[in-house]
Amino acid sequence: MTAGKPRSIAVSLGGISNLDYTVLLCNRMNETRAFYRDIMKFPVETDREHWVSFRVGAALLTLRPRTAWTVCDDGKSIPGSAAVQLAFRVPPSALDACHAELVARGVPILRGPTDLPDWRHRTLFFRDPEDNIIEIYAEY
């Protein structure tokens, strides 16, 4: 290393160690924005008409309309079909409270709190307005 020059570290694909952000492609942008802001209560990092990012721990969950854009055409989604499953970990003491809050806010639950001993998880499943599957889980 030469004095005064930062050392360059080569990183190949196998050296990637962080998922910085996830983009959900939306047909129902306003409803999905309101869901993650008002129901999930994720803090808004950036809010523009066609791009909104929520802070979730060290990562961003970003929404943008499904459309043709400069990189590619996103294509159509199939109504009722999930594109992704997002899993959010909470402390064991919080899972049942999350369930109660979702029910109180009228969110349809796919499967209520369930213990999965083989995974050492207690899980809860529901959908967002884009039909993506959302899991809240706690490890035990």
Side-chain angles (χ1 to χ4, degrees), residues 1 10 42 47 51 70 96 98 108 110 123 130 133-134 136 140:
M1 174 191 313
F42 293 153
D47 195 355
W51 185 274
T70 58
D96 290 319
C98 290
L110 295 174
T123 65
E130 300 296 332
I133 298 169
I134 310 300
I136 296 178
Y140 60 85

Side-chain angles (χ1 to χ4, degrees), residues 101-124:
E101 192 171 341
L102 290 165
V103 169
R105 293 177 172 271
V107 175
I109 304 298
L110 295 174
R111 184 172 73 196
T114 304
D115 289 325
L116 302 175
D118 290 345
W119 293 94
R120 297 182 43 115
H121 284 184
R122 183 163 173 78
T123 65
L124 158 66

Side-chain angles (χ1 to χ4, degrees), residues 38-100:
D38 303 337
I39 302 293
M40 298 300 290
K41 299 182 182 177
F42 293 153
V44 175
E45 183 99 354
T46 303
D47 195 355
R48 298 186 179 123
E49 183 180 1
H50 299 293
W51 185 274
V52 60
S53 293
F54 299 93
R55 175 65 54 191
V56 185
L60 293 175
L61 177 62
T62 299
L63 313 176
R64 75 165 175 80
R66 178 180 287 280
T67 186
W69 59 299
T70 58
V71 175
C72 63
D73 184 342
D74 298 330
K76 299 206 179 296
S77 63
I78 300 169
S81 177
V84 298
Q85 176 177 325
L86 299 174
F88 300 101
R89 185 174 56 201
V90 298
S93 61
L95 190 103
D96 290 319
C98 290
H99 176 251

